[in-house]
Amino acid sequence: MHSFLVAEIQKALRSASVTTGQSIIIEKPTSPKFGDYATNIAFLAAKELKRNPRQLAEELTGHFGFPEGTVTKIEVAGPGFINFFMEPAFIMQSAERVFRDGVEYGKGSEGAGKTAIVEYVSANPTGPLTIGRGRGGVLGDCIANLAEAQGYRVNREYYFNDAGRQMQILGESVRYRYLELCGRSVDFPDTHYKGLYIGEIAEKIYSEHGEGLLQDESIEPFRSEAESIIFSSIQKTLGRLGIVHDSFFNEHTLYTADQNGISPNQQVIDRLRENGFIGQYDGATWFLTTKLGQEKDKVLIKSSGEPSYRLPDIAYHLTKYARGFDMIINVFGADHIDEYPDVLEALKILGHDTTKVRIAINQFVTTTVNGETVKMSTRKGNADLLDDLIDDVGPDATRLFFIMRSKDSHLNFDVDLAKKQSKDNPVFYFHYAHARICSLLRLAWSEIGFDAAKLPEHGILMRLRAPEELQLAFGILDFGDVSRSAFRMLEPQKMVDYMHAIAELFHRFYQECPILKAEPEIAEARLFLAVAVRQVLQNGFRILGISAPESM
RNA sequence: GUGCCCGUAGCUCAAUGGAUAGAGCAUCAGCCUUCUAAGCUGAGGGUUACUGGUUCGAGUCCAGUCGGGCACACCA
């Protein structure tokens, strides 16, 4: 519907010999008296052409040539809006596209033949995933789904470092607990990890090796055992939410030399130096970001000779270009906000097109339990664990609650609400709409032999005229637009809002329009309308990554 | 102190620079002998933190003020 109107407006602009660089925006008016769709193109073009918007709008209306039976009225309103009133039968008929497209309904083509990499989660294996990380994980996963819906071939990647200082500390932490198990008294440093899982890993090692590792000063056995246990637990947790990565990129590979004997890290240094952005002082190697107007230079290689995290970050992003992705999407939490500008600057200096890179930053999470808001504490041992949350409210509520707010807003995760098996809980509102349709269709099959799997005859929905039916069909038409704009904005929350609207429209339709008890012709059309809604709900659930229960 | 995010109904949040700022919860009033009432209908509730500016039009953009969050290492 969207593209239909855009095309017709373009035709009218050409016919009226109005040339404008403005892109055409279709919006839904706030009130039905302003029509079904509206455009503000007259304002935009008028400004560009220095003309009166109202006059231009009126002139344009004379140049529209909508096909018979599509638009009933075109109206200029206010200072220059052009409002379109659609023929109800045209709306009903347009909605029948759902039957033809099925699971493909609402998919876009802007990513056809293109590839995208979405990097998300990327937690180092130093401990179990926290609730805060969960938000980024679900956000990234939904963005990846949205990219796929636009036709991109998507690579979901997890970037990690198992060789850094934090991992060293992890190994030491486990060893301390192990020593305790062996009956040694230890002075556990404040800088080390104190989570319960550390003790559990130590216990596992103790049960396998007894006191056999006591004399060995090396922490390597502790570090590697901890890494493998934690990494598999992280993947297990993500798996519970349906999050599965295609690739895991180990930061350490950026330190090892390629066939030319130069590591990716070193290549970054060399190439930045060629461009005059590398300096040496205080015994360290610096990225001269002050040349770019920043307050301080950034260390790339510490005086100890080790790279800081910034260097491999840049090298890592270079591999994303080298691997040929058309779009590069990074998802991370607000605590990494300072990280990406430097990386982008470096990429630009090295001659890469940074418009390919999109960054989605999600704000932090607080949780509300028993009406009390608890602030997340990510350090120390008392962080809220994602696994506990999933245990508590289930995977669907976990996913939906993480994305039902804009990523730019701080999220208040109301655990009590998510647990409620009632209408207050949006998860159940969505599920209920789907289950209601399934139940209806089961009954229709057993009572009148209605086959929901068969294709309806062309024009069947045109039998329907009730306002609830029209609005529902009208809503179905928006699915593709919402999906596309949710992707462009990297904002799955738009899709959640839309799903709520569809569920609401369906519940109203169901309430007001008898289906099985209606005249057979009407009953059949209404059943097919329900089939269409079910398809849209399922397609939306797929993007959000939540289940579609057939009964409740 | 500097950078980024936020400030909208009692609460949690919407609103690609558009028309009368919308949902849900909570409150109040209705709707089940009838396809799942886990639902539907209606009512009340607002100086969009504040002050200026930009323009046909500002919750949205710009400047400043106030308030909340996050980040500001030769940690990752």
Side-chain angles (χ1 to χ4, degrees):
Chain A
M1 187 58 79
H2 196 272
S3 47
F4 167 76
L5 286 169
V6 169
E8 291 296 329
I9 292 167
Q10 277 166 346
K11 263 194 253 172
L13 286 169
R14 273 198 303 275
S15 158
S17 305
V18 175
T19 46
T20 170
Q22 306 291 335
S23 59
I24 292 164
I25 295 167
I26 305 292
E27 47 198 22
K28 282 196 149 187
T30 47
S31 161
K33 77 175 181 202
F34 297 130
D36 299 311
Y37 294 103
T39 182
N40 62 350
I41 189 66
F43 293 111
L44 303 176
K47 182 172 281 185
E48 193 180 313
L49 304 171
K50 302 208 185 333
R51 291 190 48 187
N52 178 302
R54 171 96 200 185
Q55 208 178 46
L56 182 62
E58 272 161 8
E59 188 183 317
L60 277 175
T61 55
H63 288 86
F64 280 105
F66 283 104
E68 190 72 19
T70 55
V71 172
T72 54
K73 192 167 62 164
I74 304 165
E75 209 174 64
V76 176
F81 293 100
I82 303 174
N83 297 332
F84 302 99
F85 295 77
M86 310 306 290
E87 182 73 53
F90 180 59
I91 289 173
M92 298 313 290
Q93 197 191 336
S94 302
E96 290 178 19
R97 180 170 184 153
V98 179
F99 304 122
R100 211 171 61 234
D101 292 354
V103 294
E104 300 294 316
Y105 180 73
K107 291 203 172 167
S109 56
E110 71 176 55
K114 296 182 185 169
T115 56
I117 180 168
V118 183
E119 180 209 333
Y120 59 109
V121 185
S122 295
N124 285 338
T126 55
L129 290 177
T130 58
I131 290 176
R133 285 285 187 179
R135 185 179 192 191
V138 175
L139 178 68
D141 203 52
C142 289
I143 287 172
N145 291 342
L146 285 166
E148 279 172 347
Q150 290 309 314
Y152 285 93
R153 201 171 77 235
V154 176
N155 185 307
R156 294 151 196 261
E157 186 153 283
Y158 188 124
Y159 176 68
F160 71 101
N161 176 18
D162 62 355
R165 177 150 154 230
Q166 294 305 317
M167 292 302 292
Q168 186 77 8
I169 291 173
L170 173 73
E172 288 168 10
S173 304
V174 174
R175 184 159 186 272
Y176 281 120
R177 291 296 183 223
Y178 171 79
L179 293 177
E180 282 175 353
L181 288 170
C182 296
R184 302 291 194 277
S185 74
V186 292
D187 194 9
F188 200 94
D190 266 353
T191 50
H192 283 48
Y193 294 99
K194 290 180 171 167
L196 289 176
Y197 62 98
I198 298 291
E200 288 163 11
I201 294 166
E203 275 168 31
K204 180 160 183 279
I205 292 174
Y206 184 77
S207 72
E208 284 169 9
H209 298 272
E211 301 197 355
L213 296 171
L214 204 48
Q215 302 309 320
D216 195 349
E217 292 288 311
S218 165
I219 65 135
E220 180 51 28
F222 299 97
R223 194 204 62 81
S224 68
E225 182 68 14
E227 177 190 337
S228 84
I229 289 174
I230 290 170
F231 224 139
S232 69
S233 96
I234 285 174
Q235 289 182 54
K236 198 172 152 206
T237 305
L238 291 173
R240 296 177 71 190
L241 295 176
I243 297 173
V244 179
H245 288 85
D246 301 307
S247 51
F248 291 81
F249 193 105
N250 190 336
E251 180 186 320
H252 203 64
T253 60
L254 300 167
Y255 293 67
T256 52
D258 65 5
Q259 60 272 28
N260 300 320
I262 308 168
S263 71
N265 281 343
Q266 188 57 46
Q267 288 178 39
V268 170
I269 299 284
D270 293 345
R271 291 179 58 194
L272 284 176
R273 182 172 280 129
E274 286 165 21
N275 287 279
F277 282 93
I278 293 294
Q280 301 281 150
Y281 57 84
D282 294 348
T285 302
W286 299 78
F287 181 18
L288 301 179
T289 45
T290 44
K291 280 192 170 184
L292 301 162
Q294 293 192 25
E295 273 185 27
K296 282 189 237 167
D297 294 331
K298 304 291 166 57
V299 171
L300 291 182
I301 298 178
K302 301 184 252 179
S303 52
S304 65
E306 291 169 23
S308 77
Y309 71 93
R310 251 173 253 274
L311 179 56
D313 254 12
I314 296 167
Y316 170 49
H317 279 83
L318 286 175
T319 75
K320 294 182 180 176
Y321 282 97
R323 285 183 277 169
F325 292 109
D326 298 300
M327 182 173 271
I328 297 168
I329 301 173
N330 299 332
V331 180
F332 42 66
D335 53 341
H336 282 58
I337 198 127
D338 277 349
E339 178 174 325
Y340 77 93
D342 297 337
V343 173
L344 288 184
E345 292 293 359
L347 294 173
K348 227 179 279 177
I349 289 166
L350 300 181
H352 288 291
D353 173 14
T354 51
T355 60
K356 282 183 179 181
V357 180
R358 301 286 314 277
I359 313 279
I361 294 172
N362 63 283
Q363 295 297 316
F364 278 8
V365 180
T366 53
T367 52
T368 297
V369 185
N370 299 327
E372 271 186 52
T373 299
V374 187
K375 222 170 84 177
M376 281 285 307
S377 48
T378 44
R379 289 276 158 164
K380 302 302 167 196
N382 57 347
D384 293 331
L385 298 186
L386 183 55
D387 256 325
D388 295 343
L389 182 69
I390 301 170
D391 287 343
D392 220 7
V393 307
D396 283 342
T398 302
R399 281 193 70 115
L400 192 68
F401 274 60
F402 275 142
I403 49 169
M404 70 185 204
R405 304 295 177 222
S406 159
K407 65 181 185 301
D408 290 331
S409 288
H410 291 217
L411 174 72
N412 186 289
F413 197 116
D414 189 334
V415 175
D416 306 321
L417 177 61
K419 271 197 282 197
K420 257 191 196 168
Q421 312 266 311
S422 81
K423 65 176 178 176
D424 315 350
N425 184 341
V427 179
F428 282 85
Y429 193 69
F430 293 7
H431 280 171
Y432 185 47
H434 186 264
R436 253 185 161 174
I437 295 171
C438 292
S439 164
L440 176 69
L441 295 177
R442 279 192 300 270
L443 204 63
W445 168 251
S446 65
E447 290 198 357
I448 61 173
F450 175 79
D451 181 4
K454 78 168 188 234
L455 276 177
E457 66 177 90
H458 186 69
I460 190 167
L461 295 184
M462 292 165 74
R463 296 173 192 169
L464 303 176
R465 283 297 154 84
E468 292 81 9
E469 296 161 339
L470 276 171
Q471 282 165 22
L472 185 51
F474 198 44
I476 286 174
L477 298 181
D478 287 337
F479 183 70
D481 292 335
V482 172
S483 176
R484 187 176 58 238
S485 74
F487 174 64
R488 286 184 181 163
M489 299 166 81
L490 303 182
E491 192 60 278
Q493 180 264 332
K494 304 287 172 201
M495 184 56 72
V496 178
D497 258 17
Y498 173 76
M499 296 300 283
H500 190 275
I502 290 297
E504 187 172 43
L505 287 169
F506 174 75
H507 286 307
R508 187 178 302 148
F509 157 72
Y510 185 89
Q511 190 76 25
E512 299 300 326
C513 303
I515 298 169
L516 295 177
K517 292 181 196 68
E519 297 294 313
E521 292 260 298
I522 297 295
E524 190 188 15
R526 285 181 176 160
L527 282 166
F528 273 115
L529 181 57
V531 170
V533 174
R534 184 180 63 169
Q535 186 70 61
V536 169
L537 287 173
Q538 285 174 358
N539 293 1
F541 288 170
R542 183 183 293 260
I543 285 170
L544 301 180
I546 63 176
S547 66
E550 296 189 358
S551 62
M552 291 173 69

